Amino acid sequence: MESEEHQKGKEKFKEGKYEEAIELFKKCHKKEQRAPFYSNISACYMKLKDIPKAIKYARKSIEETPEFEKGYYRLINAGENTREYNSSVMIAEIKLGRERKEEKYWKEYYSGNEEVEVKRINLEYGKGVFSKKRYQKEEIIMKEIPIIQISKIEDYYNCCGFCLKTLCSKEPKNKYNQIFKEINKEEIIKCKCGMKYCNFKCQQLDYTHSLLCNKLKGLINYCNINHISHPLCIAKIFATILISQNIEKSLFPFVVFHSSPLIPFNSEIVPFFLNIFGSLLLKFNIYGGWTFIYQILYSVLKYNSSSILPLNPIQSLLLNNNSLLIDNTLLSSSLINHPDITAFTIEAEGLFKYLNTLNHSCSPNCFLANTDDSFALSLIASCPISHGDELTISYIDNTLPYSQRQSLLYDSYHFYCHCPKCNLMI
Ligand SMILES: C[S@@+](CC[C@H](N)C(=O)[O-])C[C@H]1O[C@@H](n2cnc3c(N)ncnc32)[C@H](O)[C@@H]1O
């Protein structure tokens, strides 16, 4: 049943008396009805061309009732008039199942790179990465460090909590184990929660640790039992966002990717997240609630992230010296990719601003690789590239037959490939 103020407010709105309508809507205070009033107030401010207030009230409407869809429409209407990139507008579009196709939301974010340009392609592909220069075969186009990186759950306590350098030997019987220990005997910092860092600098750089220390045990256990790492990565992303001064801006790099359909939410993780973050999770209400943001992040990690294999300490040494005599054993750089040496490598996953915006092709012109002693990934030309070419990589083993490639791409990334090779069905 609508209150008198509500009815009068609507009449004033129809008459074009928006200030009076706002005053009446502001008097409608029944808690369960607040979201529609905030949404109406947002509509009034839109008419008055007061965009910041239109955005403010649309967001209040969502915050009050994240399920109330009209609030998201209001936010998109108001946000479309701002030039500034805006996570909440993009999230509203995801909530309403729309494509995040509006280049103006991310153009500024992707500007300023000298090697590549990010442009919108079409509705199906979303964005893509284009070359700004010419490159020869095997030339490194760019190197990028991830926005966030995390080891596979099995390796969580075996590596540095920040740089992912291997700190504990995973294979006690390996004949290079003693050498590994010898190289790695520098002062390792161990936190009481079990997390290790190679040095003080790495400990300082892992700034989310203060929020997560001693709170992750239950979640780590859950991830280990289920052989999944993404809940832990999402906990890290939540911490990064919640610690930041500007939640809006720190959310943006994680939601900018095209990653539909969203993966359903699994309520099993609820108690762990409530235990870790408590009432801080309410800060996500303005974006549709933390479980919705969790769904977006899980989908982005599944469809967009890249595997990284940072060099292990033995490989790092061999990279800089052709041969080494350690512990009476001669090691030479030819061994760098020997299985006994790679056994010390930590498998990890990272989310990259540019590299994870690369589209797939079964006949790609680029590939990704670890080329130095860091967890950065390099984008390398696999053939000559001209200025303006779209840069592509293969998400899968592109030597597979046509039908297997198509079903693998659909199952893992939800698209059918129309690259030149697939168009010829080879
Ligand atoms: C790693 S992202 C690439 C960046 C993405 N285009 C964007 O706008 O953020 C992967 C997603 O891009 C789209 N995509 C990539 N390659 C494609 C292709 N060859 N054909 C159709 N869609 C593709 C799919 O939606 C896929 O899930």
Side-chain angles (χ1 to χ4, degrees):
M1 184 72 184
E2 285 180 356
S3 67
E4 206 183 317
E5 281 92 351
H6 192 176
Q7 282 175 10
K8 279 190 185 164
K10 279 166 125 180
E11 280 162 26
K12 294 288 174 195
F13 185 88
K14 277 186 198 146
E15 290 166 21
K17 295 177 177 163
Y18 304 117
E19 271 111 349
E20 289 177 42
I22 290 170
E23 287 316 309
L24 286 160
F25 289 139
K26 280 185 178 170
K27 285 184 185 153
C28 303
H29 269 321
K30 280 188 192 156
K31 189 164 182 351
E32 73 275 18
Q33 294 176 344
R34 265 187 207 164
F37 296 131
Y38 288 143
S39 153
N40 288 351
I41 294 172
S42 171
C44 292
Y45 280 120
M46 273 304 281
K47 292 283 186 189
L48 292 168
K49 302 210 175 349
D50 186 341
I51 305 301
K53 284 204 177 132
I55 292 179
K56 179 181 158 189
Y57 279 95
R59 290 169 127 221
K60 270 170 98 78
S61 166
I62 296 168
E63 189 176 10
E64 185 68 32
T65 310
E67 295 75 34
F68 181 66
E69 288 207 343
K70 220 169 184 178
Y72 298 91
Y73 285 107
R74 298 275 186 237
L75 185 61
I76 291 170
N77 282 342
E80 264 169 2
N81 290 293
T82 62
R83 271 194 64 247
E84 200 186 335
Y85 64 74
N86 198 326
S87 312
S88 43
V89 176
M90 291 184 62
I91 290 168
E93 291 200 332
I94 303 170
K95 183 82 181 183
L96 299 177
R98 289 191 186 181
E99 286 292 331
R100 280 161 289 159
K101 56 181 182 283
E102 296 286 353
E103 199 162 335
K104 62 187 170 192
Y105 295 134
W106 44 261
K107 203 168 179 149
E108 186 192 328
Y109 172 69
Y110 280 108
S111 65
N113 186 302
E114 288 183 6
E115 281 76 31
V116 299
E117 183 183 9
V118 175
K119 287 197 289 194
R120 178 174 181 267
I121 300 181
N122 58 29
L123 215 65
E124 188 189 0
Y125 279 71
K127 316 182 270 312
V129 184
F130 295 79
S131 176
K132 279 183 166 181
K133 295 181 185 165
R134 291 164 60 138
Y135 293 97
Q136 288 171 4
K137 187 177 173 184
E138 287 177 10
E139 206 177 331
I140 294 183
I141 299 170
M142 63 179 286
K143 278 188 189 185
E144 195 180 357
I145 57 160
I147 310 161
I148 191 129
Q149 73 278 346
I150 194 161
S151 70
K152 289 258 160 72
I153 187 70
E154 302 79 28
D155 287 336
Y156 193 69
Y157 289 123
N158 291 332
C159 62
C160 172
F162 179 71
C163 76
L164 309 179
K165 178 180 158 187
T166 322
L167 296 179
C168 296
S169 157
K170 298 193 287 175
E171 294 202 2
K173 286 193 198 99
N174 189 319
K175 64 178 170 176
Y176 297 108
N177 201 269
Q178 202 46 44
I179 295 172
F180 171 81
K181 281 189 190 149
E182 192 67 23
I183 297 171
N184 225 21
K185 68 184 176 192
E186 62 195 277
E187 203 58 25
I188 293 170
I189 296 176
K190 291 183 187 162
C191 179
K192 56 186 182 312
C193 69
M195 179 52 82
K196 301 179 191 70
Y197 296 99
C198 15
N199 51 41
F200 180 67
K201 199 173 149 206
C202 279
Q203 188 187 32
Q204 294 291 300
L205 286 168
D206 187 16
Y207 61 92
T208 57
H209 190 72
S210 56
L211 187 59
L212 300 174
C213 182
N214 264 337
K215 291 187 178 167
L216 289 177
K217 284 206 173 94
L219 186 65
I220 291 173
N221 208 10
Y222 172 81
C223 289
N224 259 320
I225 292 167
N226 293 287
H227 304 288
I228 48 172
S229 305
H230 70 268
L232 202 52
C233 191
I234 294 173
K236 241 184 137 173
I237 299 175
F238 270 20
T240 308
I241 294 164
L242 291 168
I243 281 175
S244 73
Q245 297 294 319
N246 186 335
I247 291 195
E248 182 78 36
K249 282 214 160 144
S250 35
L251 242 178
F252 194 83
F254 300 106
V255 298
V256 71
F257 299 101
H258 179 93
S259 49
S260 49
L262 290 188
I263 298 166
F265 181 70
N266 179 353
S267 56
E268 280 186 9
I269 57 96
V270 170
F272 303 115
F273 273 67
L274 289 179
N275 185 36
I276 297 167
F277 298 106
S279 61
L280 281 176
L281 293 172
L282 295 176
K283 290 195 179 186
F284 289 117
N285 274 8
I286 197 168
Y287 308 101
W290 73 271
T291 57
F292 177 51
I293 299 298
Y294 186 101
Q295 263 186 284
I296 299 178
L297 296 179
Y298 182 16
S299 312
V300 165
L301 290 173
K302 178 164 161 49
Y303 299 131
N304 297 278
S305 66
S306 297
S307 314
I308 33 184
L309 292 173
L311 292 179
N312 66 50
I314 303 182
Q315 288 174 317
S316 296
L317 262 187
L318 288 176
L319 193 76
N320 301 317
N321 308 274
N322 273 338
S323 60
L324 293 164
L325 188 66
I326 310 171
D327 201 28
N328 289 331
T329 313
L330 186 70
L331 271 181
S332 85
S333 58
S334 60
L335 277 169
I336 205 161
N337 288 322
H338 187 282
D340 284 348
I341 303 275
T342 56
F344 294 96
T345 300
I346 297 290
E347 280 183 55
E349 189 115 359
L351 194 63
F352 297 79
K353 174 175 173 177
Y354 289 97
L355 302 184
N356 293 146
T357 311
L358 291 159
N359 287 318
H360 162 88
S361 169
C362 299
S363 45
N365 54 12
C366 295
F367 64 95
L368 298 176
N370 278 95
T371 53
D372 62 21
D373 195 359
S374 77
F375 49 84
L377 269 186
S378 297
L379 177 65
I380 304 168
S382 53
C383 61
I385 288 173
S386 305
H387 180 282
D389 284 357
E390 186 187 4
L391 303 174
T392 53
I393 53 170
S394 180
Y395 295 178
I396 52 161
D397 174 0
N398 60 344
T399 60
L400 291 169
Y402 168 75
S403 56
Q404 276 189 43
R405 294 200 310 274
Q406 288 290 354
S407 49
L408 197 55
L409 285 169
Y410 190 78
D411 293 347
S412 317
Y413 298 96
H414 280 272
F415 68 86
Y416 290 113
C417 186
H418 305 292
C419 73
K421 190 170 166 182
C422 288
N423 284 344
L424 294 171
M425 293 193 173
I426 48 175

